[in-house]
C-alpha cells in the first residue's frame, strides 16, 4: 500500500511501488489535468509540484513520491496569478500542454518572483508546446510575475 499526499489530501493506493506517478494521478486519483505526452520527461506536459519544485510526473514512481507533497494543476488555487495571467493574456491555443507549463511557471515564480529573461529561458527551455505559443507563454509569465509583485 502506497500513500500519496496530493493537493493536501492523503490517498492510500494499492499499486506497485514502481507505478509511474503520472498514472497514479490520472488513472487512480482521476485528476486528469496532468497530461501524458512524451512519457520520457522531455516535454513538460506532465509537470506537477513535488515539495514545491516542478517535477515531471512521467519520470517519477509513486515510491519516490511517497511522503512528499504533490500539487497538480487542480491543486493550484483558482486565483493563483499564473491562472489569472493565462486567462488575461489568452495564452492557451489547444491547451494540451498548458497545465504542465503553468505548473512549471508557478514553481519558477515561487522561487524567483522577478525572473530576468535569462532565468525564464533557462527554466522554460525544456517545455514543448505543440502549438508554438511561446510568445504568449512569455507574456503570461510577465503578467503573472507582475501580479505576484503587486500582491506581494
Amino acid at each position: 500500500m502506497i500513500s500519496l499526499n496530493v493537493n493536501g489530501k492523503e490517498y492510500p493506493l494499492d499499486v506497485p511501488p514502481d507505478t509511474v506517478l503520472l498514472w497514479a494521478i490520472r488513472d487512480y486519483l482521476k485528476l486528469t489535468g496532468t497530461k501524458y505526452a512524451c512519457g520520457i520527461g522531455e516535454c513538460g506536459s506532465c509537470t506537477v509540484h513535488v515539495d514545491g519544485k516542478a517535477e515531471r510526473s512521467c519520470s517519477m514512481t509513486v515510491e519516490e513520491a511517497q511522503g512528499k507533497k504533490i500539487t497538480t494543476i487542480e491543486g493550484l488555487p483558482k486565483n493563483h496569478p499564473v491562472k489569472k495571467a493565462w486567462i488575461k493574456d489568452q495564452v492557451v491555443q489547444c491547451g494540451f500542454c498548458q497545465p504542465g507549463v503553468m505548473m512549471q511557471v508557478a514553481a519558477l515564480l515561487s522561487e524567483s518572483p522577478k525572473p530576468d529573461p535569462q532565468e525564464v529561458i533557462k527554466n522554460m527551455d525544456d517545455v514543448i508546446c505543440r502549438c508554438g505559443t511561446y510568445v504568449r507563454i512569455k507574456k503570461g509569465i510577465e503578467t503573472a510575475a507582475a501580479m505576484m509583485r503587486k500582491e506581494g
Side-chain angles (χ1 to χ4, degrees), residues 80-136:
H80 191 283
V82 172
K83 285 187 173 180
K84 292 192 311 191
W86 254 236
I87 292 167
K88 180 183 181 297
D89 292 337
Q90 299 181 13
V91 172
V92 177
Q93 186 166 323
C94 87
F96 185 84
C97 66
Q98 292 306 306
V101 172
M102 292 167 73
M103 294 304 286
Q104 183 88 13
V105 171
L108 165 66
L109 296 179
S110 175
E111 287 182 21
S112 180
K114 294 181 182 182
D116 63 48
Q118 289 305 92
E119 274 182 288
V120 171
I121 290 168
K122 182 179 179 220
N123 190 273
M124 303 301 293
D125 71 347
D126 61 349
V127 170
I128 299 172
C129 172
R130 293 174 177 182
C131 299
T133 63
Y134 300 109
V135 171
R136 295 191 324 218

Side-chain angles (χ1 to χ4, degrees), residues 18-64:
D18 63 347
T19 300
V20 175
L21 178 60
L22 171 65
W23 300 127
I25 291 168
R26 287 186 59 81
D27 294 347
Y28 294 94
L29 303 182
K30 304 299 184 200
L31 298 170
T32 57
T34 305
K35 304 297 186 206
Y36 171 78
C38 72
I40 57 173
E42 292 290 325
C43 72
S45 292
C46 68
T47 302
V48 298
H49 294 174
V50 178
D51 288 341
K53 303 261 187 228
E55 297 286 347
R56 304 300 207 250
S57 64
C58 75
S59 299
M60 179 177 277
T61 66
V62 293
E63 184 174 51
E64 294 168 321

